[in-house]
């Protein structure tokens, strides 16, 4: 079975640490040997908020799974998974 980019992004982000698009892409390349651009990774992060992927990845339906935070003193953002996604699966 092929792993989707959204599943790869979830796999990388499951550690709950802050990630930039660049870092996610580098980690996916390290783990899977595939390159994806920032736009594709951004779309995969957006997918994590969709009901279809919440169900597939057992993310709590009423939780926003992604926390977006500005990088202090720099341009850009980091993204991390919310601990809320682990509290009890789908509701």
């Amino acid at each position: 079975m092929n792993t989707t980019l959204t599943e790869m992004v979830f796999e990388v982000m499951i550690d709950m640490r802050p990630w930039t698009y660049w870092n996610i892409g580098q980690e996916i390349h390290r783990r899977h040997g595939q390159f994806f651009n920032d736009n594709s990774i951004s779309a995969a992060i957006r997918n994590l908020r969709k009901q279809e992927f919440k169900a597939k990845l057992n993310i709590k339906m009423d939780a926003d799974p992604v926390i977006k935070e500005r990088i202090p003193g720099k341009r850009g953002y980091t993204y991390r998974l919310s601990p809320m996604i682990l509290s009890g699966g789908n509701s």
Side-chain angles (χ1 to χ4, degrees), residues 2 4 11 13 16-18 20 24 27-28 30 33 36 39 44 46 50 54 60 62 68 76 81:
N2 291 335
T4 68
E11 173 190 308
M13 294 179 70
M16 308 288 173
R17 293 183 317 149
T20 64
I24 292 169
E27 186 63 17
I28 288 171
R30 189 185 72 74
F36 296 95
N39 291 337
R46 282 192 308 274
K50 295 179 180 176
K54 285 182 175 184
K60 232 180 133 182
D62 61 350
K68 176 182 175 180
L81 291 180

Side-chain angles (χ1 to χ4, degrees), residues 65-84:
V66 180
I67 299 169
K68 176 182 175 180
E69 299 170 313
R70 181 169 286 287
I71 300 171
K74 298 183 181 180
R75 291 177 25 167
Y77 294 90
T78 60
Y79 302 84
R80 62 185 173 92
L81 291 180
S82 169
M84 294 287 296

